[in-house]
Amino acid sequence: MSMTPRSLKFSTTGIPAANRMELWAHHNAKALISLDIRTMDEAPLRAAEVNLHLPSLQFAHVKGSPQVVERNEKYIRQNPMDVVAVFFALEGEAFFYYQGGLEALRPGQAVMYDVDRPFMRGFSSGVREMVLTIPREEYRGLSGGRDLVRPKVFDFNRQGAADLHMHALAKLVSGTLQDPAANPQSAEHRALELLGLLASGCRSGTGEGYLAAAKACIEDRLGDPALSPAVVAAAVGVSERHLARVFAAENGEPPSQYILARRLELASSILADPSRSTTPVGAIADRTGFASQSYFSRAFKARFGMTPLQARRAAGTPPS
């Protein structure tokens, strides 16, 4: 199988209204998931999609006007896909009907489902979402041989009670779609590790999945002075000792050093930002999670060889 990622794009812009639905359905069938698609009113369909095909996984960003998409039993027999999909809702509430139930999904939630089981999804105010697909057999390998017979719903919005592994996966999919040339093989490998944790209920997984989740936790909480390896380990679901082994395997540094490095890198970027030239150094220390300005200044000088004020001057912005 080729290791070269393939990017595809589709937009209804410039397409005659009468042809949009047919071409939209055709693109999805070839590039993502074959769907029976219907609009919810007589307005011309508006839709766009960016697809990234990796050796095993497919990523997509989808947006469109109000519509209903369906795969019933007859349609599935005629158009089997043999994939499990994860739909990440970014905007607009939606319903998800499946055999035996209904899920009402809001932005910041993701649903994982086998698309060869009947379902219907509706977007009354339009759709903007990311989608990930994985071959069913690969999913079974990650889940310990278990099929996905019912949808699994996760929160990935960091503003709420997010599932950290799904949150990390959402960030990974989003970042890869925005910059597909930035080591897509590594992105796919990390995505598979995170999918393994999600599919198995975190009962299995190697270090890379936990590492990606830990880094997502750290990025979201850099400004929290209480952030520590213990907090990260608890959020990820591993012991502090195991978390230390995961970080050591990547580059030999403990999680505490990684947290400090990320805080200092964030502080450095703020100091170099002309739009923040009047932000006091003490406020930057608070923003980046340092307990005191003096500790921040010492750590900054040890890392960069200059004080925060000297770094601001070197960047060409006046000191505060």
Side-chain angles (χ1 to χ4, degrees):
M1 186 178 294
S2 171
M3 294 297 292
T4 303
R6 185 164 63 101
S7 296
L8 302 168
K9 292 184 178 181
F10 174 88
S11 174
T12 55
T13 301
I15 296 176
N19 303 122
R20 291 182 182 182
M21 183 62 72
E22 178 184 359
L23 293 176
W24 176 232
H26 178 76
H27 174 81
N28 274 283
K30 296 296 183 182
L32 191 59
I33 300 167
S34 182
L35 297 164
D36 181 10
I37 308 173
R38 300 180 297 280
T39 55
M40 298 182 69
D41 52 38
E42 295 183 355
L45 172 73
R46 292 175 288 103
E49 189 168 293
V50 176
N51 304 87
L52 181 65
H53 291 186
L54 300 169
S56 293
L57 306 181
Q58 295 184 0
F59 297 168
H61 180 273
V62 184
K63 60 182 179 180
S65 52
Q67 57 192 278
V68 175
V69 303
E70 182 178 7
R71 285 177 61 82
N72 60 29
E73 289 182 342
K74 179 180 179 181
Y75 191 91
I76 290 168
R77 284 196 302 271
Q78 296 171 343
N79 303 275
M81 296 300 301
D82 299 318
V83 301
V84 168
V86 184
F87 303 98
F88 302 87
L90 301 177
E91 291 180 6
E93 296 190 356
F95 67 77
F96 188 101
Y97 280 109
Y98 61 98
Q99 285 183 322
L102 164 67
E103 298 285 350
L105 301 176
R106 63 180 186 275
Q109 288 188 309
V111 58
M112 182 186 297
Y113 194 61
D114 186 328
V115 303
D116 281 350
R117 295 180 182 273
F119 70 91
M120 177 188 289
R121 306 175 68 215
F123 310 94
S124 60
S125 59
V127 55
R128 190 169 81 85
E129 67 180 4
M130 297 185 301
V131 184
L132 176 156
T133 67
I134 177 173
R136 184 186 301 109
E137 284 307 306
E138 290 206 37
Y139 175 87
R140 284 175 55 83
L142 296 174
S143 69
R146 292 184 296 275
D147 286 319
L148 190 58
V149 297
R150 292 173 59 86
K152 289 186 176 183
V153 178
F154 303 84
D155 286 308
F156 67 88
N157 187 344
R158 68 184 180 90
Q159 302 300 327
D163 180 289
L164 188 56
H165 302 102
M166 186 59 83
H167 175 53
L169 183 60
K171 290 183 69 172
L172 178 60
V173 173
S174 176
T176 306
L177 284 167
Q178 291 174 20
D179 188 8
N183 201 346
Q185 286 77 28
S186 174
E188 180 175 65
H189 185 69
R190 284 181 288 138
L192 286 166
E193 292 289 341
L194 288 164
L195 283 167
L197 293 171
L198 291 160
S200 66
C202 299
R203 289 187 292 271
S204 65
T206 62
E208 291 199 39
Y210 291 121
L211 182 66
K215 287 184 174 181
C217 175
I218 290 168
E219 291 303 310
D220 290 340
R221 300 187 60 175
L222 273 179
D224 182 357
L227 179 65
S228 68
V231 169
V232 177
V236 174
V238 297
S239 68
E240 280 190 74
R241 180 174 296 180
H242 186 66
L243 184 70
R245 286 197 296 267
V246 166
F247 272 85
E250 183 190 38
N251 54 18
E253 70 177 357
S256 58
Q257 287 299 113
Y258 179 83
I259 293 170
L260 177 61
R262 288 296 302 124
R263 282 175 165 159
L264 290 170
E265 288 165 4
L266 176 58
S268 179
S269 68
I270 294 173
L271 288 163
D273 185 350
S275 68
R276 302 183 183 183
S277 62
T278 59
T279 304
V281 170
I284 295 174
D286 290 340
R287 164 71 179 82
T288 52
F290 286 91
S292 71
Q293 183 176 337
S294 59
Y295 172 51
F296 166 58
S297 296
R298 291 195 304 273
F300 193 93
K301 186 172 183 179
R303 173 66 185 273
F304 297 109
M306 63 181 76
T307 67
L309 287 178
Q310 288 170 336
R312 175 168 274 169
R313 293 190 189 99
T317 54
S320 59

